Amino acid sequence: VQHLRKSTLCGTVRALEAASLHPAKLLGISDKKGTLNFDSDADFIVLNDDLVVLATYIAGECVWSKANV
């Protein structure tokens, strides 16, 4: 996502969608993955403004945090 945003100047939102929503749509799983919509799986990452991963959540539970490294 960092590389895509930097090399194409597409912006943060488009880079994030290219890494989440669009692949989920292509795989036919966008009803549960690739969005933060109600009733979707609660799998997501927390990023800072530089798009560095700060935490990873699976099913709403924090499974990794940079603070714990």
Side-chain angles (χ1 to χ4, degrees):
V1 174
Q2 293 171 357
H3 179 70
L4 178 63
R5 181 177 72 168
K6 184 177 179 180
S7 65
T8 66
L9 303 175
C10 67
T12 301
V13 171
R14 288 189 185 219
L16 290 169
E17 286 179 348
S20 57
L21 177 60
H22 299 305
K25 283 184 174 181
L26 180 68
L27 294 170
I29 58 172
S30 60
D31 60 325
K32 293 290 181 186
K33 303 287 185 188
T35 70
L36 293 176
N37 293 335
F38 180 77
D39 211 24
S40 292
D41 292 345
D43 301 340
F44 60 93
I45 57 174
V46 178
L47 305 168
N48 68 12
D49 289 340
D50 294 322
L51 301 178
V52 173
V53 179
L54 301 178
T56 302
Y57 288 77
I58 298 176
E61 182 178 334
C62 184
V63 296
W64 181 85
S65 173
K66 190 169 187 167
N68 295 332
V69 174

Coordinates of all heavy atoms in Angstrom, one line a residue:
V1 N 0.8 -1.2 0.0 CA 0.0 0.0 0.0 C 0.9 1.2 0.0 O 0.6 2.2 -0.7 CB -1.0 0.0 1.2 CG1 -1.7 1.3 1.3 CG2 -1.9 -1.2 1.1
Q2 N 1.9 1.2 0.8 CA 2.9 2.4 0.8 C 3.5 2.6 -0.6 O 3.5 3.7 -1.0 CB 4.0 2.1 1.8 CG 3.6 2.1 3.3 CD 4.7 1.6 4.2 OE1 5.8 1.3 3.7 NE2 4.5 1.6 5.5
H3 N 3.9 1.5 -1.2 CA 4.6 1.6 -2.5 C 3.6 2.1 -3.5 O 3.9 2.9 -4.4 CB 5.2 0.3 -2.9 CG 5.8 0.3 -4.2 ND1 7.0 1.0 -4.4 CD2 5.5 -0.3 -5.4 CE1 7.3 0.8 -5.7 NE2 6.4 0.1 -6.3
L4 N 2.4 1.5 -3.6 CA 1.4 1.9 -4.5 C 1.1 3.4 -4.4 O 1.0 4.1 -5.4 CB 0.1 1.1 -4.4 CG -1.0 1.4 -5.3 CD1 -0.6 1.2 -6.8 CD2 -2.3 0.7 -4.9
R5 N 0.8 3.9 -3.2 CA 0.5 5.3 -2.9 C 1.6 6.2 -3.4 O 1.4 7.2 -4.1 CB 0.2 5.5 -1.5 CG -0.2 7.0 -1.2 CD -0.5 7.2 0.2 NE 0.7 7.1 1.1 CZ 0.7 7.5 2.3 NH1 -0.4 8.0 2.9 NH2 1.8 7.5 3.0
K6 N 2.9 5.8 -3.1 CA 4.0 6.6 -3.4 C 4.3 6.6 -5.0 O 4.5 7.6 -5.6 CB 5.2 6.1 -2.7 CG 6.5 7.0 -2.9 CD 7.6 6.5 -2.1 CE 8.8 7.4 -2.3 NZ 10.0 6.9 -1.5
S7 N 4.2 5.4 -5.6 CA 4.6 5.3 -7.0 C 3.6 5.8 -7.9 O 3.9 6.2 -9.1 CB 5.1 3.9 -7.3 OG 4.0 3.0 -7.2
T8 N 2.3 5.8 -7.5 CA 1.2 6.2 -8.5 C 0.6 7.5 -8.1 O -0.2 8.0 -8.9 CB 0.1 5.1 -8.6 OG1 -0.5 5.0 -7.3 CG2 0.7 3.8 -9.0
L9 N 0.9 8.0 -6.9 CA 0.2 9.2 -6.4 C -1.3 9.1 -6.3 O -2.0 10.0 -6.5 CB 0.7 10.4 -7.1 CG 2.2 10.7 -7.2 CD1 2.5 11.9 -8.1 CD2 2.7 10.9 -5.8
C10 N -1.8 7.8 -6.1 CA -3.2 7.6 -6.2 C -4.0 8.0 -4.9 O -5.2 8.1 -4.9 CB -3.5 6.1 -6.4 SG -3.0 5.0 -5.1
G11 N -3.2 8.3 -3.9 CA -3.9 8.7 -2.6 C -4.1 7.5 -1.7 O -4.1 6.3 -2.1
T12 N -4.2 7.8 -0.4 CA -4.4 6.8 0.6 C -5.6 5.9 0.4 O -5.6 4.7 0.5 CB -4.3 7.4 2.0 OG1 -3.1 8.1 2.1 CG2 -4.4 6.3 3.1
V13 N -6.8 6.5 0.2 CA -8.0 5.8 0.1 C -8.0 4.8 -1.1 O -8.3 3.6 -0.9 CB -9.2 6.7 -0.1 CG1 -10.5 6.0 -0.4 CG2 -9.4 7.6 1.2
R14 N -7.5 5.2 -2.2 CA -7.5 4.3 -3.4 C -6.5 3.2 -3.2 O -6.7 2.1 -3.6 CB -7.2 5.1 -4.7 CG -8.4 5.9 -5.1 CD -8.2 6.5 -6.4 NE -9.3 7.4 -6.7 CZ -9.9 7.5 -7.9 NH1 -9.4 6.8 -8.9 NH2 -10.9 8.3 -8.1
A15 N -5.3 3.5 -2.6 CA -4.3 2.5 -2.3 C -4.9 1.4 -1.3 O -4.7 0.2 -1.5 CB -3.1 3.1 -1.7
L16 N -5.6 1.9 -0.3 CA -6.2 0.9 0.6 C -7.3 0.1 0.0 O -7.4 -1.1 0.2 CB -6.7 1.7 1.9 CG -5.7 2.3 2.8 CD1 -6.3 3.2 3.8 CD2 -4.9 1.2 3.5
E17 N -8.1 0.7 -0.8 CA -9.1 0.0 -1.5 C -8.5 -1.1 -2.5 O -9.0 -2.2 -2.6 CB -10.1 0.9 -2.3 CG -11.0 1.7 -1.4 CD -11.9 2.6 -2.2 OE1 -11.6 2.9 -3.4 OE2 -12.9 3.1 -1.6
A18 N -7.4 -0.7 -3.1 CA -6.7 -1.6 -4.0 C -6.2 -2.8 -3.3 O -6.0 -3.9 -3.9 CB -5.6 -0.9 -4.8
A19 N -5.9 -2.7 -2.0 CA -5.4 -3.8 -1.3 C -6.4 -4.6 -0.5 O -6.1 -5.6 0.1 CB -4.3 -3.2 -0.3
S20 N -7.6 -4.1 -0.4 CA -8.6 -4.7 0.4 C -10.0 -5.0 -0.3 O -10.3 -6.1 -0.6 CB -8.9 -3.9 1.7 OG -9.3 -2.6 1.4
L21 N -10.7 -3.9 -0.7 CA -12.0 -4.0 -1.3 C -11.9 -4.7 -2.6 O -12.7 -5.6 -2.9 CB -12.6 -2.6 -1.4 CG -14.0 -2.6 -2.1 CD1 -15.0 -3.5 -1.3 CD2 -14.5 -1.1 -2.2
H22 N -11.1 -4.2 -3.5 CA -11.0 -4.7 -4.9 C -10.7 -6.2 -4.9 O -11.3 -7.0 -5.7 CB -10.2 -3.8 -5.8 CG -10.7 -2.4 -5.9 ND1 -11.9 -2.1 -6.3 CD2 -10.1 -1.3 -5.6 CE1 -12.1 -0.8 -6.2 NE2 -11.0 -0.3 -5.8
P23 N -9.6 -6.7 -4.2 CA -9.4 -8.1 -4.2 C -10.6 -8.9 -3.6 O -10.9 -10.0 -4.1 CB -8.1 -8.2 -3.3 CG -7.5 -6.9 -3.4 CD -8.6 -5.9 -3.5
A24 N -11.2 -8.4 -2.6 CA -12.4 -9.1 -2.0 C -13.5 -9.2 -3.1 O -14.1 -10.3 -3.2 CB -12.8 -8.4 -0.8
K25 N -13.7 -8.1 -3.8 CA -14.7 -8.2 -4.9 C -14.4 -9.2 -5.9 O -15.2 -10.0 -6.4 CB -14.9 -6.8 -5.5 CG -15.7 -5.9 -4.7 CD -15.9 -4.5 -5.4 CE -16.9 -3.6 -4.6 NZ -17.1 -2.4 -5.3
L26 N -13.1 -9.2 -6.3 CA -12.6 -10.1 -7.4 C -12.8 -11.6 -6.9 O -13.2 -12.5 -7.7 CB -11.2 -9.9 -7.7 CG -10.5 -10.8 -8.7 CD1 -11.1 -10.5 -10.1 CD2 -9.0 -10.6 -8.8
L27 N -12.6 -11.8 -5.6 CA -12.8 -13.2 -5.1 C -14.2 -13.5 -4.7 O -14.5 -14.7 -4.3 CB -11.9 -13.4 -3.9 CG -10.4 -13.3 -4.1 CD1 -9.6 -13.2 -2.8 CD2 -9.9 -14.5 -5.0
G28 N -15.1 -12.6 -4.8 CA -16.5 -12.8 -4.5 C -16.8 -12.9 -3.0 O -17.7 -13.6 -2.6
I29 N -16.0 -12.3 -2.2 CA -16.1 -12.4 -0.7 C -16.3 -11.0 -0.1 O -16.2 -10.8 1.1 CB -14.9 -13.1 -0.1 CG1 -13.6 -12.4 -0.4 CG2 -14.9 -14.5 -0.5 CD1 -12.4 -12.9 0.4
S30 N -16.7 -10.0 -0.9 CA -16.8 -8.6 -0.4 C -18.0 -8.4 0.5 O -18.1 -7.4 1.2 CB -16.9 -7.6 -1.6 OG -18.0 -7.9 -2.4
D31 N -18.9 -9.5 0.7 CA -19.9 -9.4 1.7 C -19.4 -9.6 3.1 O -20.0 -9.1 4.0 CB -21.0 -10.4 1.4 CG -20.5 -11.8 1.4 OD1 -19.4 -12.1 1.0 OD2 -21.3 -12.7 1.8
K32 N -18.2 -10.2 3.2 CA -17.6 -10.4 4.5 C -16.2 -9.8 4.7 O -15.7 -9.6 5.8 CB -17.5 -11.9 4.8 CG -18.9 -12.6 5.0 CD -19.5 -12.1 6.3 CE -20.9 -12.8 6.5 NZ -21.6 -12.2 7.6
K33 N -15.5 -9.6 3.6 CA -14.1 -9.1 3.6 C -13.9 -7.9 2.8 O -14.7 -7.6 1.9 CB -13.1 -10.2 3.0 CG -13.2 -11.5 3.7 CD -12.6 -11.5 5.1 CE -12.5 -12.9 5.7 NZ -12.1 -12.9 7.0
G34 N -12.9 -7.1 3.1 CA -12.6 -5.9 2.4 C -13.3 -4.6 2.7 O -13.1 -3.6 2.1
T35 N -14.2 -4.7 3.7 CA -15.0 -3.5 4.1 C -15.1 -3.5 5.6 O -14.8 -4.5 6.3 CB -16.4 -3.5 3.5 OG1 -17.2 -4.5 4.1 CG2 -16.4 -3.6 2.0
L36 N -15.5 -2.4 6.1 CA -15.8 -2.3 7.6 C -17.3 -2.2 7.8 O -17.8 -1.6 8.7 CB -15.1 -1.1 8.2 CG -13.6 -1.3 8.3 CD1 -13.0 0.0 8.8 CD2 -13.2 -2.5 9.1
N37 N -18.1 -2.7 6.8 CA -19.5 -2.7 6.9 C -20.1 -3.5 8.1 O -19.5 -4.5 8.5 CB -20.2 -3.1 5.6 CG -19.9 -2.2 4.5 OD1 -19.6 -1.0 4.7 ND2 -19.9 -2.7 3.2
F38 N -21.3 -3.1 8.5 CA -21.9 -3.9 9.5 C -22.1 -5.3 9.0 O -22.4 -5.6 7.9 CB -23.3 -3.3 9.8 CG -24.1 -4.0 10.9 CD1 -23.8 -3.9 12.2 CD2 -25.1 -4.9 10.5 CE1 -24.5 -4.6 13.2 CE2 -25.8 -5.6 11.4 CZ -25.5 -5.4 12.8
D39 N -21.9 -6.3 9.9 CA -22.0 -7.7 9.6 C -20.9 -8.3 8.8 O -20.9 -9.5 8.4 CB -23.3 -8.1 9.0 CG -23.8 -9.4 9.3 OD1 -23.4 -10.0 10.4 OD2 -24.6 -10.0 8.6
S40 N -19.8 -7.5 8.5 CA -18.6 -8.0 7.9 C -17.7 -8.7 8.9 O -17.9 -8.4 10.1 CB -17.8 -6.9 7.2 OG -18.5 -6.4 6.1
D41 N -16.8 -9.5 8.5 CA -15.8 -10.1 9.5 C -15.0 -8.9 10.1 O -14.7 -7.9 9.4 CB -14.9 -11.0 8.8 CG -15.6 -12.3 8.4 OD1 -16.7 -12.6 8.8 OD2 -15.0 -13.0 7.5
A42 N -14.7 -9.0 11.3 CA -13.9 -7.9 12.0 C -12.4 -8.2 11.9 O -11.7 -8.3 12.9 CB -14.3 -7.8 13.4
D43 N -11.9 -8.4 10.6 CA -10.5 -8.6 10.4 C -10.0 -7.2 9.8 O -10.4 -6.8 8.7 CB -10.3 -9.7 9.4 CG -10.8 -11.0 9.8 OD1 -11.0 -11.2 11.0 OD2 -11.0 -11.9 8.9
F44 N -9.0 -6.6 10.5 CA -8.5 -5.3 10.0 C -7.2 -5.0 10.6 O -6.8 -5.7 11.6 CB -9.5 -4.2 10.3 CG -9.8 -4.0 11.8 CD1 -9.1 -3.1 12.5 CD2 -10.8 -4.7 12.4 CE1 -9.4 -2.9 13.9 CE2 -11.1 -4.6 13.7 CZ -10.4 -3.6 14.5
I45 N -6.5 -4.0 10.0 CA -5.2 -3.6 10.6 C -5.4 -2.1 11.0 O -6.2 -1.4 10.4 CB -4.1 -3.7 9.6 CG1 -4.4 -3.0 8.3 CG2 -3.8 -5.2 9.4 CD1 -3.2 -3.0 7.3
V46 N -4.6 -1.7 11.9 CA -4.5 -0.3 12.3 C -3.2 0.3 11.7 O -2.2 -0.3 12.0 CB -4.6 -0.1 13.8 CG1 -4.5 1.4 14.2 CG2 -5.9 -0.7 14.4
L47 N -3.3 1.4 11.0 CA -2.1 2.0 10.4 C -1.9 3.4 10.9 O -2.9 4.1 11.3 CB -2.4 2.1 8.9 CG -2.7 0.8 8.1 CD1 -3.2 1.2 6.7 CD2 -1.5 -0.1 8.1
N48 N -0.7 3.9 10.9 CA -0.5 5.3 11.2 C -0.5 6.1 9.9 O -0.8 5.5 8.8 CB 0.9 5.5 11.9 CG 2.1 5.2 11.1 OD1 2.0 5.0 9.9 ND2 3.2 5.1 11.8
D49 N -0.3 7.4 9.9 CA -0.4 8.2 8.7 C 0.6 7.8 7.6 O 0.3 8.1 6.4 CB -0.2 9.7 9.1 CG -1.4 10.3 9.9 OD1 -2.5 9.7 9.8 OD2 -1.2 11.3 10.6
D50 N 1.7 7.2 8.0 CA 2.6 6.7 7.0 C 2.3 5.3 6.5 O 3.1 4.7 5.8 CB 4.1 6.7 7.6 CG 4.5 8.2 7.9 OD1 4.2 9.1 7.1 OD2 5.2 8.4 8.9
L51 N 1.2 4.8 6.9 CA 0.7 3.4 6.5 C 1.6 2.3 7.0 O 1.7 1.2 6.5 CB 0.6 3.3 5.0 CG -0.4 4.3 4.3 CD1 -0.4 4.1 2.8 CD2 -1.8 4.2 4.8
V52 N 2.2 2.6 8.2 CA 2.9 1.5 8.9 C 1.9 0.8 9.8 O 1.1 1.4 10.5 CB 4.0 2.1 9.8 CG1 4.7 1.1 10.6 CG2 5.0 2.8 8.9
V53 N 2.0 -0.5 9.8 CA 1.0 -1.3 10.6 C 1.3 -1.2 12.1 O 2.5 -1.4 12.5 CB 1.1 -2.8 10.2 CG1 0.1 -3.7 11.0 CG2 0.7 -3.0 8.7
L54 N 0.3 -0.8 12.8 CA 0.5 -0.7 14.3 C -0.2 -1.9 15.0 O 0.2 -2.2 16.1 CB -0.1 0.6 14.8 CG 0.4 1.9 14.2 CD1 -0.3 3.1 14.7 CD2 1.9 2.0 14.4
A55 N -1.2 -2.5 14.4 CA -1.9 -3.6 15.1 C -2.7 -4.4 14.0 O -3.1 -3.8 13.0 CB -2.8 -3.1 16.2
T56 N -2.9 -5.7 14.3 CA -3.7 -6.5 13.4 C -4.8 -7.2 14.3 O -4.5 -7.7 15.4 CB -2.8 -7.6 12.8 OG1 -1.7 -7.0 12.1 CG2 -3.6 -8.6 11.9
Y57 N -6.0 -7.1 13.8 CA -7.1 -7.7 14.5 C -7.7 -8.8 13.6 O -7.9 -8.6 12.4 CB -8.2 -6.7 14.7 CG -7.8 -5.7 15.8 CD1 -6.9 -4.7 15.6 CD2 -8.4 -5.9 17.1 CE1 -6.6 -3.8 16.6 CE2 -8.0 -5.0 18.1 CZ -7.1 -4.0 17.9 OH -6.8 -3.1 18.9
I58 N -8.1 -9.9 14.2 CA -8.8 -11.0 13.5 C -10.0 -11.3 14.3 O -9.9 -11.6 15.5 CB -7.9 -12.2 13.3 CG1 -6.7 -11.9 12.4 CG2 -8.7 -13.4 12.7 CD1 -5.7 -13.0 12.2
A59 N -11.2 -11.3 13.7 CA -12.4 -11.6 14.4 C -12.6 -10.6 15.5 O -13.2 -10.9 16.6 CB -12.6 -13.0 14.8
G60 N -12.1 -9.4 15.4 CA -12.3 -8.3 16.4 C -11.3 -8.4 17.5 O -11.3 -7.6 18.4
E61 N -10.4 -9.4 17.5 CA -9.4 -9.6 18.6 C -8.0 -9.2 18.1 O -7.6 -9.6 17.0 CB -9.4 -11.1 19.0 CG -8.5 -11.3 20.2 CD -8.5 -12.8 20.6 OE1 -9.6 -13.4 20.4 OE2 -7.5 -13.3 21.2
C62 N -7.3 -8.4 18.9 CA -6.0 -8.0 18.6 C -5.0 -9.2 18.6 O -4.9 -9.8 19.7 CB -5.5 -6.9 19.5 SG -3.8 -6.3 19.1
V63 N -4.5 -9.6 17.5 CA -3.6 -10.7 17.4 C -2.1 -10.3 17.3 O -1.2 -11.1 17.5 CB -3.9 -11.7 16.3 CG1 -5.3 -12.3 16.5 CG2 -3.8 -11.0 14.9
W64 N -1.9 -9.0 17.0 CA -0.5 -8.5 17.0 C -0.6 -7.0 17.2 O -1.5 -6.3 16.7 CB 0.2 -8.8 15.6 CG 1.6 -8.3 15.5 CD1 2.7 -8.9 16.0 CD2 2.0 -7.0 15.1 NE1 3.8 -8.1 15.8 CE2 3.4 -6.9 15.2 CE3 1.3 -5.9 14.5 CZ2 4.1 -5.8 14.8 CZ3 2.1 -4.8 14.1 CH2 3.4 -4.8 14.3
S65 N 0.4 -6.5 17.9 CA 0.5 -5.1 18.1 C 1.9 -4.7 18.2 O 2.8 -5.3 18.8 CB -0.2 -4.7 19.5 OG 0.0 -3.3 19.7
K66 N 2.3 -3.6 17.5 CA 3.6 -3.1 17.5 C 4.1 -2.7 18.9 O 5.3 -2.9 19.2 CB 3.8 -1.9 16.6 CG 5.2 -1.5 16.3 CD 5.3 -0.4 15.2 CE 6.7 -0.2 14.9 NZ 6.9 0.5 13.6
A67 N 3.2 -2.3 19.7 CA 3.5 -2.0 21.1 C 4.0 -3.2 21.9 O 4.7 -3.0 22.9 CB 2.3 -1.4 21.8
N68 N 3.6 -4.4 21.5 CA 4.0 -5.6 22.2 C 5.2 -6.3 21.6 O 5.6 -7.3 22.0 CB 2.8 -6.6 22.1 CG 1.6 -6.1 22.9 OD1 1.8 -5.4 23.9 ND2 0.5 -6.5 22.5
V69 N 5.8 -5.7 20.6 CA 7.0 -6.2 20.0 C 8.3 -5.8 20.7 O 8.4 -4.8 21.3 CB 7.1 -5.8 18.5 CG1 8.4 -6.3 17.9 CG2 5.9 -6.3 17.7

